[in-house]
Amino acid sequence: MDLALNNHNNWWKKSVIYQIYPRSFCDTNGDGIGDIPGIISKLDYIQTLGVDAVWISPMYASPQDDNGYDISDYQDIDPTFGTMDDMRVLLKEANNRGIKIIMDMVLNHTSDEHAWFLEAKQSRDNPKHDWYVWRDGEPGTPPNEMCSVFGGSAWEWVEECQQYYLHQFSVKQPDLNWDNPEVREALYDMLQWWVDQGAGGFRLDVIDQIAKEPDRMVTAEGTMLHTYVKEMSERVFRGTDLVTVGEAWSATPETARKWSNPDGSELSMVFQFEHIVLDQLPGQPKWDVGSLKLTDLKRVFGKWQHELNGSGWNSLFWNNHDVPRIVSRWGDDGVYREQSAKMFATVLYGLQGTPYLYQGEELGMTNTRYAIDEYRDIETVNLIAERRAAGYSDESILASIYAKGRDNGRTPMQWDASCNAGFTSGEPWLKVNPNYAQINAAEQLERADSVLNHYRRLIALRKREQVILDGSYEDILFDREDVYAYRRVSEDAVLTVAANFTGNEVEFPAEVLENAGMLELGNYADSPINGTLRPFEARLYLKKN
Ligand code: TEU
Ligand code: CA
């Protein structure tokens, strides 16, 4: 057996990480925005799920242009969410329950209202000027064609300096200059400060973009990238039991073996999106909607399972705050909502890697359809303006937003059937999904066959069964476009998963039962039908040698 897997420092290989989007989690003061006291009040709920760590999207001081991913002070909490004292209570209360808190760190950029940038933009000879990325140019003629992820040019003119600054994201998110050693030192000190406050780890936002080379139009995987990440790791992470997860849209299995090298030289694991963009049309923006081909999903999952086994570590997820809800995307958010939600869970939780459970996913929460002026996400708001100006109809813009808009995943958590789903006593910052009377935590906690209880069983299973951690992976009947089946094999056990990705009854592949053992978990209350998989049916078999 892989020795590294027994190392206590690798606790996160056996764990499930719950992600909280704090704005939408639980509001305690009636201002319509979730807050830290709200998170504290739900720690018992989180503990019930059996997760070991919680990643919380940014709550630092911020003008909230990108809901906190624009930080104006890394070492303070935004009044929207509470105070630093609230944060200390949260760290302590979580710790008392054996739950680690993973801080979401945005190291690629700050807010344009961060003290560093306020100084940097004053003049070219300000000591902080070089902390950001500047290029000369003429007003109206940016240095090159680089575009912001949220639309428009990635360059913004500053009159005082007669220069442009780079912003890969919104104009209020200027890029930090990692080539300046003072910047790196300041960030490492700040990270260390959070370790001293009791943080259990870090999720590193767009970490693959820190070493950008704008003159070559390079954003991800710049020449110095892994040198900087190694330096950061050496300074802050090494020899600790922190979990560090790098968000890297650009990652390939090859680069992932660097990011998550088992020697600990970079990060614990990589968080990459190859499987989750498979319904994107090649070369097209995410807004042009395609469909999923199941064999593509198998190919991508299989590739990552094989290529990282023993040489790296991956994150497993269907949802986060940037993507639509999986049941609405590739499952069924109507009649078979519960079956499809449990099916996705079953397929994912049998794989090697660390699963991430995004708030509401444990309830099978769905996408929403709002009026065009009810969306709040900066990416969506910019899209509406841009596409209207380009002559698109509101109807076609809405079709894209319904399918891919980030607010789909950001509607308030559905706690119970009371007004506003028990999320707030006030006016929620983003409308609550109207289906909360049917879909909510209170109801699912009580019901043995709920999506929530299915997740609890899967999380417990992962803790129990070593084969999920280190077994080999093989596809069963790869070519089938309706059924995903695979086998994980170790010396002492075989775990087999078979799942119907369609809303029809399909033929159950007999090959699944070769060496499969007992049915351990399924997503239908009544017993399986021989030779058939029902709509979105998933079965998990376990054999102990
Ligand atoms: O996301 C990185 C990122 O590239 C996404 O913005 C992604 O491209 C987009 O959602 C696709 O439409 C991280 C955060 O997760 C995201 O919430 C932030 O907006 C972004 O970084 C900037 O910090
Ligand atoms: Ca609040």
Side-chain angles (χ1 to χ4, degrees):
M1 209 198 60
D2 185 351
L3 268 182
L5 292 176
N6 269 345
N7 186 332
H8 77 281
N9 280 345
N10 292 340
W11 59 271
W12 37 266
K13 291 193 171 176
K14 274 204 159 177
S15 299
V16 173
I17 296 175
Y18 190 78
Q19 185 196 348
I20 290 179
Y21 197 65
R23 258 183 156 345
S24 305
F25 194 59
C26 180
D27 175 29
T28 54
N29 64 352
D31 67 354
I33 304 178
D35 43 48
I36 298 178
I39 299 175
I40 296 170
S41 75
K42 298 296 182 186
L43 283 172
D44 289 339
Y45 169 82
I46 294 167
Q47 192 177 27
T48 315
L49 298 171
V51 302
D52 303 280
V54 176
W55 148 28
I56 310 175
S57 284
M59 301 195 290
Y60 318 96
S62 160
Q64 303 291 320
D65 180 58
D66 185 17
N67 290 355
Y69 284 89
D70 48 318
I71 300 173
S72 55
D73 186 347
Y74 290 100
Q75 287 167 248
D76 203 359
I77 294 296
D78 198 84
T80 311
F81 301 111
T83 63
M84 194 57 212
D85 280 339
D86 293 331
M87 189 64 207
R88 290 197 178 96
V89 176
L90 171 59
L91 287 160
K92 187 162 156 281
E93 288 293 321
N95 186 47
N96 289 344
R97 290 168 178 80
I99 297 171
K100 303 200 187 236
I101 299 289
I102 300 173
M103 304 298 293
D104 196 333
M105 273 298 167
V106 189
L107 306 179
N108 177 68
H109 46 268
T110 67
S111 162
D112 65 340
E113 297 180 35
H114 193 291
W116 299 341
F117 190 74
L118 294 177
E119 281 195 46
K121 71 167 192 189
Q122 281 173 12
S123 73
R124 290 184 185 209
D125 16 83
N126 186 287
K128 291 281 187 306
H129 186 71
D130 185 55
W131 283 40
Y132 293 84
V133 181
W134 301 92
R135 290 293 181 272
D136 296 343
E138 296 288 318
T141 319
N144 63 25
E145 301 299 302
M146 276 178 78
C147 283
S148 149
V149 171
F150 298 148
S153 170
W155 297 102
E156 180 73 7
W157 179 252
V158 173
E159 196 58 37
E160 291 81 355
C161 307
Q162 293 286 301
Q163 278 180 322
Y164 284 90
Y165 69 83
L166 177 73
H167 59 93
Q168 298 189 66
F169 294 90
S170 103
V171 68
K172 287 183 68 62
Q173 293 167 302
D175 270 66
L176 282 164
N177 176 17
W178 271 70
D179 294 330
N180 183 326
E182 289 175 22
V183 170
R184 305 203 298 276
E185 289 303 315
L187 293 175
Y188 304 157
D189 286 349
M190 178 278 291
L191 289 171
Q192 185 57 52
W193 184 84
W194 275 106
V195 175
D196 298 340
Q197 306 304 307
F202 299 102
R203 178 264 186 184
L204 301 168
D205 189 67
V206 292
I207 196 68
D208 56 339
Q209 293 177 219
I210 56 172
K212 51 255 159 184
E213 297 175 26
D215 302 320
R216 300 199 299 126
M217 310 264 284
V218 167
T219 54
E221 285 293 328
T223 317
M224 291 303 287
L225 178 62
H226 292 277
T227 307
Y228 295 153
V229 175
K230 284 201 178 83
E231 183 185 76
M232 170 169 58
S233 178
E234 188 64 47
R235 284 286 306 274
V236 193
F237 310 147
R238 272 202 108 152
T240 68
D241 65 356
L242 295 166
V243 60
T244 52
V245 47
E247 187 205 21
W249 286 72
S250 69
T252 61
E254 199 188 350
T255 61
R257 287 193 287 265
K258 297 188 197 172
W259 286 116
S260 58
N261 192 325
D263 71 5
S265 55
E266 295 195 16
L267 307 176
S268 313
M269 70 185 102
V270 66
F271 197 97
Q272 55 77 32
F273 295 78
E274 189 173 354
H275 64 290
I276 215 68
V277 296
L278 287 171
D279 55 5
Q280 209 153 305
L281 306 169
Q284 299 300 308
K286 77 170 192 180
W287 303 107
D288 302 317
V289 187
S291 55
L292 173 73
K293 197 172 166 215
L294 185 58
T295 46
D296 283 342
L297 185 72
K298 298 186 196 184
R299 177 178 47 77
V300 169
F301 273 161
K303 175 174 81 176
W304 284 88
Q305 291 293 298
H306 287 297
E307 297 200 25
L308 290 200
N309 191 11
S311 59
W313 200 254
N314 203 0
S315 305
L316 305 169
F317 68 95
W318 294 117
N319 288 280
N320 74 6
H321 62 293
D322 291 334
V323 300
R325 295 283 181 181
I326 195 65
V327 285
S328 300
R329 188 177 192 173
W330 295 341
D332 177 35
D333 59 10
V335 204
Y336 297 114
R337 186 184 60 81
E338 292 228 336
Q339 282 88 347
S340 68
K342 293 178 199 167
M343 184 279 282
F344 285 111
T346 311
V347 168
L348 200 71
Y349 281 49
L351 297 174
Q352 185 179 67
T354 298
Y356 286 73
L357 178 54
Y358 177 63
Q359 67 182 50
E361 183 177 1
E362 75 274 29
L363 310 177
M365 274 178 63
T366 68
N367 284 356
T368 45
R369 297 181 170 213
Y370 294 160
I372 203 157
D373 59 353
E374 288 173 327
Y375 289 96
R376 297 289 170 263
D377 173 22
I378 181 171
E379 185 187 49
T380 299
V381 171
N382 287 357
L383 176 88
I384 296 167
E386 229 171 63
R387 294 219 157 168
R388 276 180 167 166
Y392 288 76
S393 69
D394 279 7
E395 207 186 354
S396 81
I397 302 171
L398 278 172
S400 290
I401 297 171
Y402 292 162
K404 293 291 185 66
R406 301 197 297 184
D407 281 343
N408 280 309
R410 298 178 179 183
T411 62
M413 177 72 177
Q414 295 166 205
W415 292 109
D416 57 41
S418 71
C419 183
N420 284 320
F423 162 70
T424 180
S425 60
E427 184 74 27
W429 72 277
L430 174 68
K431 264 182 32 179
V432 176
N433 190 319
N435 62 19
Y436 67 86
Q438 294 79 50
I439 308 173
N440 63 68
E443 189 273 333
Q444 296 203 19
L445 279 164
E446 296 302 314
R447 180 161 53 87
D449 73 342
S450 65
V451 179
L452 187 150
N453 279 310
H454 191 80
Y455 268 101
R456 290 173 64 182
R457 284 190 278 272
L458 282 170
I459 292 168
L461 183 80
R462 286 189 68 94
K463 294 223 167 119
R464 221 165 45 228
E465 302 304 335
Q466 179 83 9
V467 61
I468 302 182
L469 193 71
D470 60 9
S472 65
Y473 171 93
E474 64 196 48
D475 281 295
I476 304 171
L477 293 183
F478 177 88
D479 291 333
R480 280 189 64 165
E481 290 291 354
D482 50 359
V483 173
Y484 190 172
Y486 65 82
R487 200 176 277 133
R488 304 282 315 280
V489 182
S490 70
E491 262 172 37
D492 4 86
V494 179
L495 176 132
T496 310
V497 171
N500 179 0
F501 267 68
T502 79
N504 309 313
E505 285 198 355
V506 300
E507 189 203 328
F508 177 77
E511 290 81 349
V512 165
L513 295 178
E514 287 166 19
N515 207 18
M518 303 289 286
L519 182 65
E520 174 80 18
L521 197 67
N523 64 345
Y524 271 78
D526 34 3
S527 39
I529 303 173
N530 271 344
T532 301
L533 276 175
R534 289 162 285 186
F536 297 103
E537 182 168 359
R539 299 189 205 165
L540 186 149
Y541 297 87
L542 192 61
K543 184 178 158 217
K544 299 294 199 65
N545 294 334

